[in-house]
Amino acid sequence: KCNYVAFLDDDDYYLPKKVEMQLAMFKELDDDKLALVYCYCDEIQNGKVTMRYRYDYVGSFLYEAMLKCVAATSQWMCRKSCLEKVGCFTNMPCKQDSYVILKLLAHGYNLNRVPEVLSIYDNNDRPKISSKSARKRIEGETKLRELCRANYDKLTTAQQDNVEYSFACILAPYYYETGDRKMLADSLRIIMQRPFSGQTIRVRKILLKKKAKRMFASMK
């Protein structure tokens, strides 16, 4: 029955002025194209801040949203009518937040942010990668990549290549975990085109710990 919707995951919590400040931004800007207002967020573990999320993307930033999750659901306040226009959430095992943001941006809506920490992500039970969780991540990331590819006509060729590289880096460890050697090899071919990139080095470290050294050697 309301015009705005905010979400709260069971392992997160709001700081006192979150709803008030986000609603004020909607009212102040008075822009029908403004679909979502997010906020800064801190991740805590055992009472200590382990990550600080301080993204400042404003407007229509489709390309940047393809490269990273700009804001998780507990950071949001959304205009309900905009959510309904894009079909709300999509049934997928993960990446639902990134998928909704991409749908909104692809439909021409804008996003904005309140530049203050107004939500907390309590990360005391981060699960380690298992074969079961890896399959879910592959399914979610692959579905997200399909949506990105469906909107490549809005990107330059260089931007498309960057998005494909980003997904290859994300998916490679999960392909290794599930034993999908073909998809792992395909991802590594993309990754090793940028051998000195920070993301490539990170993926190499992860896979080398998993004794995937031969796979890298075959890509040279």
Side-chain angles (χ1 to χ4, degrees):
K1 296 179 181 180
C2 60
N3 294 322
Y4 302 94
V5 185
F7 303 91
L8 182 60
D9 292 350
D10 61 358
D11 52 354
D12 303 340
Y13 56 90
Y14 291 171
L15 295 184
K17 291 189 176 182
K18 177 184 181 296
V19 172
E20 175 185 345
M21 295 183 72
Q22 290 178 314
L23 184 59
M25 176 166 282
F26 272 111
K27 299 294 186 181
E28 177 184 346
L29 296 178
D30 191 24
D31 178 6
D32 290 340
K33 283 292 186 179
L34 179 59
L36 186 153
V37 172
Y38 64 99
C39 64
Y40 291 166
C41 174
D42 281 346
E43 177 182 316
I44 63 170
Q45 191 168 29
N46 299 321
K48 296 182 179 180
V49 176
T50 54
M51 287 286 290
R52 301 180 189 274
Y53 298 96
R54 305 288 192 275
Y55 296 138
D56 290 304
Y57 299 113
V58 173
S60 182
F61 47 89
L62 183 66
Y63 168 61
E64 290 80 4
M66 291 183 182
L67 295 175
K68 65 181 67 177
C69 179
V70 174
T73 49
S74 293
Q75 296 171 251
W76 299 1
M77 177 177 283
C78 303
R79 193 185 301 273
K80 185 181 72 170
S81 61
C82 298
L83 282 178
E84 291 175 336
K85 285 282 181 62
V86 301
C88 297
F89 286 93
T90 299
N91 185 17
M92 50 200 296
C94 64
K95 308 304 290 186
Q96 299 94 335
D97 44 11
S98 296
Y99 204 88
V100 170
I101 286 177
L102 276 180
K103 287 197 295 185
L104 289 169
L105 293 169
H107 276 74
Y109 290 116
N110 299 321
L111 276 65
N112 212 314
R113 56 88 182 89
V114 176
E116 292 192 29
V117 176
L118 297 174
S119 69
I120 303 294
Y121 169 38
D122 189 352
N123 182 24
N124 284 319
D125 296 304
R126 180 190 293 272
K128 295 183 178 179
I129 296 176
S130 66
S131 177
K132 183 177 180 180
S133 67
R135 288 188 177 88
K136 290 183 178 180
R137 288 301 300 268
I138 289 170
E139 182 182 346
E141 295 286 355
T142 300
K143 194 172 184 67
L144 181 62
R145 184 174 60 185
E146 289 172 357
L147 180 59
C148 291
R149 288 174 173 174
N151 288 278
Y152 274 177
D153 60 315
K154 302 178 180 70
L155 305 185
T156 66
T157 300
Q159 288 174 331
Q160 294 174 29
D161 290 342
N162 289 339
V163 173
E164 289 294 322
Y165 170 76
S166 178
F167 275 106
C169 289
I170 292 169
L171 285 165
Y174 299 118
Y175 287 138
Y176 180 84
E177 190 67 34
T178 58
D180 192 335
R181 295 178 64 84
K182 179 184 181 304
M183 295 304 296
L184 174 59
D186 289 345
S187 296
L188 290 179
R189 289 189 185 93
I190 296 173
I191 292 169
M192 293 309 294
Q193 292 174 8
R194 307 182 187 190
F196 304 111
S197 167
Q199 281 184 281
T200 297
I201 293 170
R202 179 186 63 81
V203 175
R204 284 176 64 95
K205 288 180 178 178
I206 293 173
L207 293 180
L208 289 175
K209 286 182 180 179
K210 297 176 178 295
K211 301 179 181 179
K213 190 172 183 179
R214 291 182 182 177
M215 294 294 297
F216 274 108
S218 67
M219 296 299 109
K220 295 181 179 178

